[in-house]
Amino acid sequence: MRTKDWAVRLKLAPNVQSASRAIVVGRGTAPIVKALQLLGIQDILVTDIIPETLARTKADHGSAGRLGNELGVRTWEGDFTELPAYMGPADVVVFCSPNFGTQTSAREAMTQACMTVRPGGCVLIATDVGNDWFTPNFPPQREGLASLVAGLPCRIHSEQEGQYAYCASLQVPPSYRLRSPVLLQGEVVRGFGRGSRQMGTPTANIDPAPLQAALAGMSKGVYFGWAQLVTPEGWPQADAALHKVVLNIGSRPTVNAGGEADTVECYILHDFQGGQEFYGCHLRVVAVGYLRPELKFPDLDALVARIKADVAATQLHLDSPSIADHNATAAAILLKEASAA
Ligand code: ADP
Ligand code: MG
């Protein structure tokens, strides 16, 4: 398809405008890069695991600086699922080829893309329909696309299949609000003691067994919200107040050897008397927003770095006016539960 036709299609996707930052992934990026440039987009990163793709990009566009704020077409060679955080965030990620720039899977690449894109931005699958790819499930098309992104924080915005090209557009939600706040509460139980505390992020594990009904309606992943602890006798009033919380619902793929039940783990952003333990206490948590799906990190350092980013995002979202009404609802729910107890 011609550059101009691609530009027309790409322009329809949410948040694709001249000031956007774009990441273009995989073989066959050349027409997409040209179309993005035609739309005035100047900040473009091309990534692939295959060096030839990048060699071609460099030949076409020269090589802008690898770091810094220099505009232009830059390249990064590596597996897209391992894209360093400083390469993001982007407004749009475009996948151009069946390998999705990774040796893992299309699904993991999509997950990474959802986390690399800013809220409100989009992930595109855009490819010319050539003779060279009779790859099963690519382009994914309708049901394939739906299952590729099921459970990920994005929605199908549009899908166009033509004789010469395929273009699917997925939008990452502009805000991370849950439809309505969700109350989870129970006794703080012992976890697997895998050193959350040593990592500086203790997670109070709530006994998940009685929560099955509430959990059934929630995707696994990382949420943010408000927590209130029923403190032991004698603890200061401040400890019993409402505190911000980052909560993880799921199977902890980085440390789980497999076969362990899902957990609900709450990292409360408050210093309880110098990190005192409170096993056996009753903990109430209201989730108001969703941050990201659960991910498997290559090592603990990467996990810790991501947790720090999650904490920063939690602070930001909970202080944002766009979530103020949910915060008020959460406070009301916690007050009601406390007075009913
Ligand atoms: P476990 O594997 O048993 O859950 P962690 O290393 O995750 O152990 O530590 C969690 C425990 O740390 C909690 O159950 C709680 O008693 C204590 N703790 C102290 N401060 C906090 C906090 N701010 N957030 C969560 N838990 C905390
Ligand atoms: Mg824990």
Side-chain angles (χ1 to χ4, degrees):
M1 212 162 65
R2 290 179 312 161
T3 306
K4 230 170 94 187
D5 298 321
W6 267 124
V8 169
R9 292 206 180 188
L10 298 181
K11 201 171 161 36
L12 294 173
N15 254 346
V16 174
Q17 53 216 15
S18 61
S20 297
R21 266 205 89 217
I23 300 181
V24 189
V25 188
R27 193 157 44 86
T29 50
I32 303 298
V33 169
K34 287 199 193 103
L36 291 169
Q37 288 182 317
L38 194 64
L39 294 173
I41 296 179
Q42 299 183 59
D43 187 352
I44 300 173
L45 175 70
V46 176
T47 88
D48 199 10
I49 31 174
I50 302 164
E52 285 75 41
T53 302
L54 306 178
R56 177 144 183 229
T57 305
K58 283 182 199 153
D60 286 354
H61 303 280
S63 45
R66 290 173 57 81
L67 293 170
N69 303 321
E70 205 175 325
L71 295 177
V73 181
R74 296 175 298 148
T75 57
W76 180 78
E77 185 186 327
D79 195 297
F80 180 69
T81 60
E82 288 165 15
L83 186 76
Y86 63 80
M87 292 286 179
D91 301 287
V92 50
V93 170
V94 192
F95 291 108
C96 302
S97 58
N99 76 354
F100 283 74
T102 181
Q103 280 180 315
T104 59
S105 64
R107 171 75 181 185
E108 293 203 29
M110 286 306 299
T111 308
Q112 170 75 10
C114 287
M115 297 194 354
T116 305
V117 163
R118 285 198 188 92
C122 66
V123 180
L124 305 177
I125 301 169
T127 181
D128 278 315
V129 175
N131 302 323
D132 66 331
W133 50 261
F134 282 110
T135 312
N137 309 324
F138 190 85
Q141 329 226 357
R142 289 200 186 108
E143 296 96 82
L145 184 65
S147 68
L148 181 60
V149 302
L152 294 183
C154 65
R155 67 180 182 89
I156 298 176
H157 173 265
S158 66
E159 195 194 25
Q160 298 171 301
E161 301 168 43
Q163 199 182 345
Y164 303 112
Y166 172 89
C167 187
S169 152
L170 307 147
Q171 185 176 24
V172 172
S175 132
Y176 292 105
R177 294 164 58 89
L178 294 185
R179 211 166 299 142
S180 51
V182 181
L183 171 70
L184 300 167
Q185 61 179 325
E187 184 187 330
V188 176
V189 296
R190 294 211 170 256
F192 295 85
R194 284 222 193 73
S196 310
R197 296 193 78 161
Q198 286 84 333
M199 280 162 27
T201 53
T203 57
N205 296 40
I206 302 183
D207 181 9
L211 300 176
Q212 290 318 312
L215 294 179
M218 299 173 87
S219 309
K220 287 183 194 178
V222 180
Y223 293 78
F224 59 88
W226 296 94
Q228 188 167 35
L229 181 68
V230 180
T231 51
E233 286 246 340
W235 281 32
Q237 200 52 43
D239 288 343
L242 267 54
H243 299 293
K244 290 173 178 165
V245 65
V246 185
L247 62 154
N248 188 76
I249 296 176
S251 52
R252 300 148 301 121
T254 304
V255 294
N256 187 345
E260 292 170 4
D262 287 354
T263 55
V264 177
E265 301 196 32
C266 311
Y267 172 39
I268 304 167
L269 308 187
H270 173 71
D271 185 12
F272 290 92
Q273 307 209 56
Q276 281 274 340
E277 291 181 351
F278 44 81
Y279 290 108
C281 290
H282 191 80
L283 179 64
R284 300 190 184 97
V285 173
V286 177
V288 299
Y290 179 78
L291 272 186
R292 63 171 175 88
E294 196 169 39
L295 293 167
K296 188 172 165 68
F297 291 94
D299 52 45
L300 275 185
D301 282 348
L303 173 62
V304 170
R306 186 67 209 194
I307 292 172
K308 286 196 179 131
D310 291 339
V311 169
T314 293
Q315 301 273 17
L316 205 75
H317 291 313
L318 285 173
D319 290 341
S320 132
S322 66
I323 207 95
D325 56 335
H326 270 13
N327 288 345
T329 308
I333 292 171
L334 289 170
L335 183 68
K336 188 170 151 232
E337 289 296 320
S339 46

